[in-house]
Amino acid sequence: MIILEGNLERITFQNEENHYTIARLATGTPGSMITIVGFMAGISPGQTLRLSGNWETHPRYGQQFKIETFAVSLPETIEGIRKYLESGVIKNIGPLIAKRLVRHFGKKTLEVIEQCPERLTEVNGIGKAKAGLIERSWKGHHIVRELMQFLQARGIKGAYSARILQEYGEEALDILKKDPFRLAEDIPGIGFLIADTITRHNGLPKDDPKRVRGCIRYLIGQGENDGHTFLPDTVIIDQCGQTFQIDPEIAALALDELADSGILVREDIPDKQDQKAVYSKELHAAEQGIANRFKALLSVPMPMLNMNPEELTCEILKKLAIQLSAGQLEVLEQILKHRVAVITGGPGTGKTTLIRSVNAIFERMGKLVVLAAPTGRAAKRLSEVVQRDAKTIHRLLKYNLKEQRFEINPNNPIDADVIIIDEASMVDTLLLFHLIRAVPVTSVLILVGDVFQLPSVGPGNVLKDIIQSHAVPVYYLKTIFRQAQESPIIVNAHMVRDWNHPGEIPDFQTAGPEDELSEFYFIRQSSPDTVVETIKTLCAESIPHRFGFDPIRDIQVLTPMHKGLIGTINLNQALQKTLNPDHTGMEIMGITYKPNDKVMHLKNNYEKDVFNGDIGTIAAIDHQTRLVTVDYEGRKVEYEPEEMHELSLAYAISVHKSQGSEYPVVIVPLLTQHYVMLQRNLLYTAMTRGKKLVILIGTRKALSVAVNNDKPRERLSGLARKLIWD
């Protein structure tokens, strides 16, 4: 670790949310101005900093010092104190008040502000109210820095200070010192790890009751992050011992206490008498609530349908100009007889046609139909194909961001006779719970999705569980229609989905009848460097020239992982240089953004009306205000610097982020460097995102691993068994 000391000359950038800072430091030697980067708070130009860290080389900005810890030395001379206060670093102290303070208190000025703020009234022009404001400004300025230094001294990233301050305010440091395990309850995930690091640093015994309870709740939360709704008690106890060195008997007793207090819920696991499922109370209530509501919906009989098959066929032909097949007509008839139904099938099997047909028939019957999907992109695509309004599920349920609750609920249910949810494989357990409890028992609920796609990001595997329970009518669409049969993309996607030849590799169809250019290519390459260069050439030259697609708007690179040469991070940097070489960009939080960059919004923002997965292009960057304007298909949205964590470059995105979306062109790197992510459902999901052209680039070995790996890690869920009732 290298130690540097110097004077802070200027702050080039500072993220107000996490305090990531880029600044210039003068170390005292002529020409010794250096760039420093890292997490620092409560600093201002003119201060003396003592830094520990290491040198690193930025690919664009060259050598810079990456900060691990920092300490601020306040000025000690009268002149230094006066300049420090005149800088405006402490609100409510201007140049005039600064001069008066230094004249009155001299070298003890900062000591008086810190320790005896009531004495500030001795200075002309400072009354009790003004003294109180100065005291609060001083504390507010220094609390962040003190908190960050407290964490860094214990080997904890200073970036976590913002989240802790958001939770506890000025009491944060006091809480960390007196009751650190409050973090485990109030800040899921990182809260326990921070508290554990602090208390272990202070010598707390490994089997302290607060530590053990916090550890168990942390492990449950990590299980939920991995997609599980519960963990077996034996797994929790084993992990307590292996990872956190907690005695198994003590862990078991703590688990009993948490279950007895209602914080966690335990229930039997069928066929596993030596284990019990352990849930958070929220997810257990959600699973049970989903099962109970399905039972209630299915117990209400549907009115008789007054249309025979011929009338249904004529109505669909008249309204949609579509001639349903015999199989589609049969499914449509059956769906109209049930209050809850699931439609599942792969691409080209007619899911969209059935959604349009169901919507048309129910509207013909005078029913109010609403359409929704889990994400903004999926809702937009649903709206386009059905040619009527579709919403995200959160918008349908009127999520109140300020109060963190849904305004549409059992007491204020959805105003609709029929609710159709598309891309149901993306719906997690908690979201389905909030949705289904808001569905009136007299309404119809239809879930549509491809069960072979990747499961939801959140915990649970609800579509698969519903289908496996056999408690709800399920209609499988298996026939690929003639037009779809001519598409190599659809034929090859079904080949991957249904692959049943262990150890072999699919012989992909690469051309439709009489096609001059194929819709599907598999380019064999083994070197990651070569794959990156090929992707750059395809995006910038080959595809635009041969197929006429726009390199930024139409082409989407999908990759299984974020790290590595063919991960999203490196590919985005490489493609940005190739497709948008303009050098007038601006670095924000370590990422350079430029006008015309392709970007993705990363989480639902209801105030901006932008949603997770929405893709746009940067329309403008104001270098003075650091305001970034993004164009989402004609609608301009502005981002302040502190909001830029909601954006990322999107020339390449993860396969998971692509769910619910379709792109004219999809390019998928497929190498053994992504070994842990080489799964059939992931490859299948990536291939089905492409509408007109899909290109796989990689090795036959990686392809073989992916298509023959049909056993992605099982998600632990109790929904299927709860749906099975007598």
Side-chain angles (χ1 to χ4, degrees), residues 380-431:
K380 182 179 179 183
R381 190 164 62 87
L382 179 61
S383 179
E384 290 170 350
V385 297
V386 183
Q387 297 183 335
R388 54 158 299 173
D389 183 51
K391 301 176 180 178
T392 64
I393 296 174
H394 279 77
R395 187 168 290 281
L396 174 66
L397 299 179
K398 295 185 179 178
Y399 184 67
N400 187 317
L401 184 64
K402 185 176 182 181
E403 299 181 13
Q404 302 281 296
R405 66 180 182 86
F406 291 102
E407 294 179 355
I408 300 297
N409 51 52
N411 298 320
N412 182 29
I414 299 169
D415 182 19
D417 300 306
V418 182
I419 298 115
I420 301 175
I421 305 296
D422 196 19
E423 296 289 355
S425 65
M426 299 174 65
V427 180
D428 64 35
T429 301
L430 285 172
L431 185 56

Side-chain angles (χ1 to χ4, degrees), residues 666-678:
V666 162
I667 301 173
V668 185
L670 204 65
L671 294 177
T672 51
Q673 278 78 3
H674 289 159
Y675 193 87
V676 295
M677 298 298 288
L678 292 176

Side-chain angles (χ1 to χ4, degrees), residues 16-70:
E16 293 181 9
E17 184 167 304
N18 64 12
H19 308 293
Y20 178 79
T21 303
I22 303 171
R24 298 283 281 173
L25 186 79
T27 59
T29 307
S32 64
M33 193 83 74
I34 62 172
T35 298
I36 57 175
V37 297
F39 297 95
M40 295 188 292
I43 59 170
S44 58
Q47 292 177 330
T48 299
L49 301 183
R50 182 177 174 83
L51 311 173
S52 68
N54 290 290
W55 292 103
E56 66 175 19
T57 302
H58 189 280
R60 180 174 176 185
Y61 297 105
Q63 195 176 51
Q64 53 193 24
F65 190 77
K66 186 177 181 181
I67 301 161
E68 292 295 330
T69 66
F70 77 103

Side-chain angles (χ1 to χ4, degrees), residues 386-622:
V386 183
Q387 297 183 335
R388 54 158 299 173
D389 183 51
K391 301 176 180 178
T392 64
I393 296 174
H394 279 77
R395 187 168 290 281
L396 174 66
L397 299 179
K398 295 185 179 178
Y399 184 67
N400 187 317
L401 184 64
K402 185 176 182 181
E403 299 181 13
Q404 302 281 296
R405 66 180 182 86
F406 291 102
E407 294 179 355
I408 300 297
N409 51 52
N411 298 320
N412 182 29
I414 299 169
D415 182 19
D417 300 306
V418 182
I419 298 115
I420 301 175
I421 305 296
D422 196 19
E423 296 289 355
S425 65
M426 299 174 65
V427 180
D428 64 35
T429 301
L430 285 172
L431 185 56
L432 180 62
F433 172 60
H434 287 294
L435 171 69
I436 200 167
R437 68 201 293 259
V439 175
V441 292
T442 55
S443 296
V444 172
L445 175 64
I446 300 172
L447 303 176
V448 184
D450 186 346
V451 75
F452 288 93
Q453 299 263 359
L454 292 171
S456 59
V457 174
N461 203 352
V462 295
L463 184 63
K464 183 178 179 181
D465 284 347
I466 292 168
I467 291 172
Q468 288 184 343
S469 74
H470 303 291
V472 174
V474 179
Y475 300 98
Y476 299 88
L477 305 179
K478 298 180 179 179
T479 302
I480 304 176
F481 289 94
R482 186 177 62 81
Q483 186 176 358
Q485 287 178 342
E486 297 176 358
S487 165
I489 295 174
I490 291 176
V491 171
N492 293 335
H494 279 272
M495 190 185 304
V496 167
R497 192 190 77 167
D498 301 330
W499 191 249
N500 191 28
H501 304 283
E504 297 183 22
I505 299 175
D507 183 15
F508 286 133
Q509 179 178 317
T510 57
E514 301 178 3
D515 281 350
E516 294 183 5
L517 293 171
S518 177
E519 289 184 1
F520 191 97
Y521 294 89
F522 177 37
I523 301 174
R524 294 174 60 182
Q525 287 182 350
S526 59
S527 164
D529 290 296
T530 307
V531 169
V532 172
E533 292 304 314
T534 301
I535 290 173
K536 288 162 58 178
T537 302
L538 286 170
C539 292
E541 302 172 15
S542 306
I543 295 174
H545 294 164
R546 294 190 65 191
F547 294 87
F549 291 112
D550 184 272
I552 293 179
R553 185 183 64 249
D554 295 333
I555 301 173
Q556 187 60 62
V557 178
L558 303 179
T559 183
M561 299 179 75
H562 294 293
K563 296 181 179 180
L565 281 175
I566 50 175
T568 59
I569 297 171
N570 184 64
L571 283 174
N572 271 317
Q573 293 174 351
L575 289 170
Q576 183 190 51
K577 290 178 182 177
T578 302
L579 302 178
N580 191 20
D582 183 8
H583 295 295
T584 59
M586 180 172 66
E587 184 170 339
I588 303 175
M589 297 178 66
I591 300 174
T592 300
Y593 292 96
K594 305 176 183 180
N596 301 318
D597 265 340
K598 184 176 186 177
V599 291
M600 171 181 277
H601 190 86
L602 298 177
K603 64 179 185 178
N604 293 341
N605 188 321
Y606 294 92
E607 292 180 7
K608 294 183 183 294
D609 198 30
V610 187
F611 300 95
N612 181 13
D614 284 354
I615 289 179
T617 54
I618 293 180
I621 296 177
D622 189 317

Side-chain angles (χ1 to χ4, degrees), residues 217-235:
R217 297 184 67 178
Y218 167 75
L219 292 171
I220 291 287
Q222 291 303 106
E224 292 173 1
N225 290 341
D226 290 337
H228 307 303
T229 62
F230 73 83
L231 289 180
D233 54 358
T234 54
V235 171

Side-chain angles (χ1 to χ4, degrees), residues 265-267 279-289 722:
V265 179
R266 287 188 295 194
E267 67 177 26
Y279 290 82
S280 67
K281 63 180 180 181
E282 294 82 8
L283 273 172
H284 184 268
E287 278 195 355
Q288 195 61 59
K722 289 183 176 71

